[in-house]
Amino acid sequence: MAVKTPLVSVIVPAYNAGKTIERCLDGLFRQDCKTPYEVIVVDDGSRDGTGELIKKSPAAYIRQENSGPAAARNRGAGAAGGKIILFTDSDCVPDRDWMTEMLKPFNDPLVAAVKGAYRTEQAGLIARFAQLEFEERFELLKKSPSIDMVDTYSAAFRKEVFAGAGGFDTSFPAANNEDTELSYRLSHSGHRMVFNPKAIVRHLNHPDSAGRYARLKFWR
């Protein structure tokens, strides 16, 4: 949604995301949110036509040489006009009320960041098993007044807090705990982060092999 004075900016890094980016963007532009928002997609050097698909949408388009998702997210944050910046992945489709639910905790001025939840859209055994693991974690997080980890599949930050922390560490060349590293820095600095289980994205590319599941389980 292109607006002159967005209060919220949604940033999506995309790399060879031709199979999923259209569903992701369709979900973002069908939000029931009443707050003015913009969507920024950073094409991280895709070679599969991802850029052409993005350009067909109302999203702002930025292309960079392949530098990894941390750099892509930082690039999008630098171009964001919103006071709140949200992140999701190019293989996630947000529920219609995702943005509304992500923004609710910011009514508390002490909240610096928000984490949402996700559900898998895959029927495979490994994907379903991974979802059960996350459901167990979500149940624990519901009981906590604050958390120390915000995952980028469904994340929101006050822009001033994100910028003050220097954003994501771009020494991570791939999606491998750069969000964990930033979260720990924010937590160590005393910033309050919270979990909203009602802010849901539907993940189209859940771990579907034993190897990918093991990496998710032990690295996250």
Side-chain angles (χ1 to χ4, degrees), residues 19 34 107 123 172 202 215:
K19 294 182 179 179
K34 304 303 181 183
N107 290 328
F172 289 89
R202 308 283 168 172
R215 289 196 295 273

Side-chain angles (χ1 to χ4, degrees), residues 59-209:
Y61 176 71
I62 299 173
R63 182 177 172 86
Q64 65 179 23
E65 293 300 316
N66 183 250
S67 304
R73 293 189 187 99
N74 287 350
R75 180 78 178 272
K83 294 181 179 180
I84 303 292
I85 53 175
L86 281 73
F87 294 96
T88 191
D89 293 332
S90 60
D91 58 354
C92 290
V93 179
D95 283 3
R96 284 182 61 88
D97 62 349
W98 173 72
M99 194 178 303
T100 298
E101 292 295 338
M102 290 294 285
L103 294 178
K104 281 182 179 179
F106 289 108
N107 290 328
D108 180 346
L110 297 181
V111 170
V114 177
K115 164 191 171 81
Y118 73 39
R119 304 286 184 270
T120 185
E121 290 287 286
Q122 294 175 266
L125 181 61
I126 296 297
R128 289 163 59 192
F129 194 59
Q131 180 67 52
L132 288 175
E133 288 272 342
F134 273 89
E135 291 295 336
E136 291 178 1
R137 298 182 197 181
F138 293 159
E139 287 302 315
L140 291 174
L141 292 177
K142 288 178 184 179
K143 303 173 184 178
S144 301
S146 62
I147 60 176
D148 62 3
M149 173 60 195
V150 174
D151 305 78
T152 50
Y153 61 77
S154 183
F157 301 89
R158 294 191 189 275
K159 186 178 180 181
E160 61 181 2
V161 171
F162 181 86
F168 295 102
D169 184 346
T170 57
S171 67
F172 289 89
N176 180 11
N177 286 330
E178 72 279 4
D179 46 5
T180 303
E181 191 277 335
L182 172 61
S183 296
Y184 288 174
R185 276 192 282 130
L186 292 177
S187 180
H188 183 72
S189 297
H191 291 293
R192 186 178 177 218
M193 300 179 286
V194 300
F195 173 56
N196 185 353
K198 295 181 180 180
I200 297 171
V201 297
R202 308 283 168 172
H203 206 264
L204 306 177
N205 194 25
H206 227 73
D208 52 7
S209 70

